[in-house]
């Protein structure tokens, strides 16, 4: 193939730009078809242990060729047979002539297809979960560092009561803890399809073992254990229930909502110049505007997250339309949905980890924004101080109302700074509390228990989850994005 031809076919950006090599490998042809061969080995080993005439030499021959997949020969066979599993059976049999008579003995295509999918889903969840934990860890450190840094809270995207930078980060962490729990439950609930036959009745294996149902059940359990699962699904049709896929993709879609919410927050804060994601010294924000520091990492996360969210409907519709024991219209859809869900989640989490490792806070900008809004928020405190000093609440309320509207006009109509405090200082009515104004306007007195909430949340909820990932968190690598 010429160099030009390399660039003339479609390539997924999940492979060329975003996802890790580790996750890409899990959904590669090499992983898939070598796992098929490993499953044939496990089936032969289990059948031999239960009395079928299978020799050690046959098993050894199969083992020697597990990773020696002739992809071109398999593709040629599939063009003839129009059946992917039989194509690989034929190629494997040619490579293992001694074992050829017993390869795939008693099995249906879904023995290798579905069990391989379940193994890959398990391994992919094992890769995602530590990534989620790593992001939680980095955000935890960020939250503790800025737990007492006052900042404007927002409701309806309008300035509201103060919170702290660290407390806001805990909102992101809490969502991620829910994602970790859901993904972990999916991982813990995952089972093996095992050895179930063409419609799930195990009829072919019952025939192989001359009607000995106990041996068939034991065969199912042996293969399940060899594949690294504790249990097989108790019943299946030809396939394991696609409800399993729905559960897993739902968890990934839910993770997508968390990532999108957090990164949307970051983009809003970046537009206010209060907080920025990492920005490299050679990075270019805009081809036309050299000064721009666009939040491209957060934008990438949002883009990938939306794809994760939309994939749920594919999984749900596929399960809903699996008639009776199965239909094949799940196949093409699942090739896209399962791989893209995990590759997108992997890419989004790596990007989010990169962001979480290098977020930059600008306290002076935050303080300036607070100073523009705090005078209005402090009016109730000023009224209460005047009442304590002997003033009439209704008179004070009217004074503050008039001054607030005057100050608001300066901000909205003339583009000037909020001068309410100066107006209060100049009004003789407020003379009894002037020495208290600095204390009344101290932003830290407006954040309630935010700082304590951060400490309590980290100690009571975050650390317990992170304890499950001690090894993974020992050496968190600084993520370098390829592109």
């Amino acid at each position: 193939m010429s160099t030009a031809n390399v660039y003339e076919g479609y390539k997924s950006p999940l492979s060329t730009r975003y996802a890790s090599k580790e996750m890409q490998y899990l959904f590669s042809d090499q992983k898939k078809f070598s796992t098929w061969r490993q499953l044939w080995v496990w089936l032969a080993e289990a059948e031999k242990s239960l009395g079928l005439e299978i020799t050690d030499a046959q098993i050894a021959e199969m083992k020697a060729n597990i990773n020696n997949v002739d992809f071109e020969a398999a593709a040629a066979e599939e063009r003839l047979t129009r059946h992917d599993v039989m194509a690989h059976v034929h190629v494997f049999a040619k490579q293992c002539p001694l074992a050829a008579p017993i390869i795939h003995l008693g099995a249906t295509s879904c023995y290798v297809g579905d069990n391989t999918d379940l193994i890959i889903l398990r391994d992919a969840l094992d890769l995602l979960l530590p990534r989620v934990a790593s992001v939680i860890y980095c955000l935890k450190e960020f939250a503790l560092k800025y737990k007492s840094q006052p900042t404007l809270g927002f409701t309806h995207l309008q300035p509201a009561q103060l919170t702290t930078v660290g407390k806001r980060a805990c909102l992101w962490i809490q969502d991620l803890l829910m994602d970790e729990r859901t993904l972990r439950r999916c991982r813990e609930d995952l089972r093996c399809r095992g050895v179930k036959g063409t419609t799930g009745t195990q009829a072919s294996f019952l025939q192989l073992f001359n009607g000995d149902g106990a041996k068939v059940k034991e065969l199912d359990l042996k293969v399940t254990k060899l594949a690294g699962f504790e249990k097989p699904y108790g019943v299946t049709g030809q396939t394991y229930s696609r409800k399993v896929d729905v559960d897993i993709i739902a968890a990934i879609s839910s993770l997508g909502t968390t990532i999108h919410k957090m990164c949307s927050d970051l983009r809003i804060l970046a537009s206010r110049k209060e907080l920025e994601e990492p920005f490299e010294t050679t990075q270019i924000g805009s081809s036309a505007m050299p000064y721009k520091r666009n939040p491209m990492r957060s934008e990438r996360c949002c883009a990938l997250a939306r794809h994760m969210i939309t994939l749920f409907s594919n999984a749900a519709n596929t399960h809903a339309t699996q008639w009776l024991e199965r239909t094949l219209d799940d196949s093409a859809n699942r090739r896209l949905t399962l791989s893209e869900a995990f590759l997108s989640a992997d890419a989004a989490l790596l990007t989010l980890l990169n962001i979480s490792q290098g977020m930059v806070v600008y306290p002076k900008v935050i303080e300036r924004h607070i100073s523009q809004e705090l005078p209005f928020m402090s009016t109730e405190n000023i009224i209460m101080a005047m009442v304590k000093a002997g003033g009439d609440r209704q008179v004070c309320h009217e004074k503050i109302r008039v001054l607030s509207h005057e100050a608001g006009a300066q901000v909205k109509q003339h583009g000037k700074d909020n001068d309410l405090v100066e107006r209060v200082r100049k009004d003789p009515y407020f003379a009894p509390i002037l020495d208290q104004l600095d204390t009344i306007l101290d932003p830290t007195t407006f954040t309630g228990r935010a700082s304590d909430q951060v400490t309590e949340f980290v100690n009571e909820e975050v650390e317990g989850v992170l304890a499950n990932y001690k090894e993974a968190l020992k050496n968190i690598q600084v993520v370098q994005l390829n592109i």
Side-chain angles (χ1 to χ4, degrees):
M1 182 180 292
S2 70
T3 304
N5 289 338
V6 172
Y7 298 99
E8 291 177 358
Y10 174 77
K11 294 180 182 178
S12 170
L14 289 168
S15 296
T16 59
R17 295 179 69 89
Y18 302 133
S20 69
K21 296 299 182 185
E22 296 91 338
M23 188 63 81
Q24 289 185 53
Y25 174 73
L26 291 181
F27 291 92
S28 69
D29 285 348
Q30 181 64 47
K31 171 68 175 178
K32 177 179 179 178
F33 297 124
S34 62
T35 304
W36 283 13
R37 292 183 172 197
Q38 180 65 74
L39 281 159
W40 284 321
V41 170
W42 288 331
L43 179 62
E45 288 178 327
E47 288 174 337
K48 177 180 183 296
S49 72
L50 292 170
L52 294 191
E53 292 185 7
I54 297 172
T55 67
D56 289 337
Q58 287 174 312
I59 292 172
E61 185 181 55
M62 293 167 69
K63 284 183 175 181
N65 285 283
I66 285 176
N67 294 310
N68 185 24
V69 182
D70 188 336
F71 294 102
E72 291 185 4
E77 282 284 340
E78 188 172 351
R79 283 192 292 271
L80 294 173
T81 62
R82 295 296 173 185
H83 197 289
D84 55 351
V85 174
M86 286 310 300
H88 279 268
V89 169
H90 292 165
V91 171
F92 197 29
K94 289 177 182 177
Q95 291 176 316
C96 306
L98 189 64
I102 55 92
I103 293 173
H104 199 66
L105 184 59
T108 188
S109 298
C110 284
Y111 166 70
V112 289
D114 271 29
N115 282 319
T116 292
D117 285 346
L118 290 164
I119 289 168
I120 291 171
L121 290 174
R122 177 192 66 195
D123 294 350
L125 286 166
D126 285 343
L127 190 56
L128 280 192
L129 280 163
R131 298 213 195 288
V132 175
S134 296
V135 174
I136 292 172
Y137 174 83
C138 291
L139 289 177
K140 176 206 74 170
E141 295 296 302
F142 177 86
L144 291 172
K145 181 177 180 180
Y146 292 102
K147 68 178 183 179
S148 301
Q149 173 67 56
T151 190
L152 284 175
F154 284 83
T155 59
H156 313 275
L157 204 55
Q158 302 298 314
Q161 193 175 62
L162 301 192
T163 182
T164 70
V165 173
K167 168 64 190 303
R168 178 176 284 144
C170 286
L171 299 179
W172 304 330
I173 295 171
Q174 182 168 248
D175 288 350
L176 285 165
L177 289 176
M178 296 170 69
D179 293 316
E180 185 278 337
R181 181 191 65 199
T182 306
L183 288 165
R184 177 163 39 86
R185 181 193 61 78
C186 288
R187 172 65 179 86
E188 291 168 352
D189 289 351
L190 206 58
R191 299 188 186 187
C192 189
R193 177 191 176 276
V195 179
K196 295 296 196 296
T198 54
T199 57
T201 64
Q202 299 176 310
S204 58
F205 295 102
L206 196 63
Q207 185 176 355
L208 275 177
F209 288 99
N210 299 315
D212 190 335
K215 280 192 174 182
V216 174
K217 186 173 183 178
E218 190 174 354
L219 176 70
D220 199 6
L221 291 173
K222 279 180 176 289
V223 170
T224 293
K225 294 289 185 180
L226 286 169
F229 292 92
E230 288 300 314
K231 295 179 179 179
Y233 290 107
V235 293
T236 72
Q238 187 171 89
T239 68
Y240 70 81
S241 172
R242 298 315 185 211
K243 186 76 169 179
V244 176
D245 296 344
V246 174
D247 270 1
I248 293 173
I249 303 304
I252 290 176
S253 293
S254 183
L255 173 64
T257 69
T258 296
I259 293 171
H260 201 290
K261 197 277 181 191
M262 174 182 167
C263 290
S264 294
D265 287 352
L266 292 176
R267 292 163 66 186
I268 291 169
L269 294 171
S271 76
R272 293 174 55 81
K273 297 180 173 59
E274 293 187 1
L275 186 152
E276 284 184 343
E277 64 181 35
F279 196 91
E280 297 165 27
T281 56
T282 59
Q283 184 173 330
I284 295 173
S286 168
S287 62
M289 296 167 280
Y291 61 88
K292 293 287 287 295
R293 292 172 68 94
N294 299 336
M296 55 81 64
R297 291 165 172 80
S298 298
E299 291 172 317
R300 175 181 297 181
C301 281
C302 287
L304 291 167
R306 285 201 301 274
H307 188 53
M308 292 159 62
I309 293 167
T310 61
L311 288 173
F312 173 74
S313 62
N314 268 349
N317 281 301
T318 294
H319 173 246
T321 55
Q322 282 295 285
W323 305 339
L324 306 175
E325 278 64 53
R326 79 89 47 103
T327 63
L328 194 62
D329 60 347
D330 65 337
S331 179
N333 186 284
R334 292 175 70 252
R335 288 174 193 265
L336 296 168
T337 302
L338 297 182
S339 58
E340 290 194 3
F342 277 96
L343 290 165
S344 298
D346 178 68
L349 284 171
L350 284 174
T351 308
L352 191 63
L353 181 56
N354 174 268
I355 293 170
S356 302
Q357 290 172 333
M359 289 191 296
V360 181
V361 175
Y362 294 107
K364 293 299 180 183
V365 177
I366 293 173
E367 290 167 11
R368 183 172 185 274
H369 289 157
I370 290 174
S371 70
Q372 292 170 347
E373 302 293 341
L374 192 60
F376 293 140
M377 298 177 190
S378 68
T379 53
E380 182 64 21
N381 290 1
I382 292 174
I383 292 172
M384 297 308 296
M386 280 297 296
V387 171
K388 288 180 181 179
D392 183 301
R393 185 193 181 281
Q394 307 312 320
V395 173
C396 185
H397 183 280
E398 180 61 19
K399 284 277 188 181
I400 286 290
R401 187 188 71 80
V402 172
L403 294 179
S404 295
H405 281 281
E406 291 173 354
Q410 293 296 309
V411 174
K412 295 178 181 178
Q413 296 176 22
H414 305 292
K416 295 183 178 181
D417 289 339
N418 188 333
D419 63 356
L420 175 59
V421 175
E422 291 307 310
R423 292 175 184 273
V424 170
R425 289 187 190 279
K426 292 175 181 178
D427 191 320
Y429 176 81
F430 295 100
I433 65 164
L434 290 183
D435 60 340
Q436 302 176 44
L437 274 182
D438 287 343
T439 300
I440 291 172
L441 293 166
D442 181 358
T444 61
T445 65
F446 288 79
T447 59
R449 295 191 65 250
S451 179
D452 291 336
Q453 285 180 340
V454 172
T455 303
E456 292 163 4
F457 176 66
V458 167
N459 291 339
E460 295 171 11
E461 300 190 41
V462 179
E463 295 293 2
V465 172
L466 294 181
N468 297 322
Y469 298 92
K470 283 183 179 179
E471 291 303 313
L473 297 176
K474 279 182 180 178
N475 296 298
I476 298 178
Q477 301 295 315
V478 176
V479 175
Q480 300 292 338
L481 300 181
N482 292 328
I483 298 178

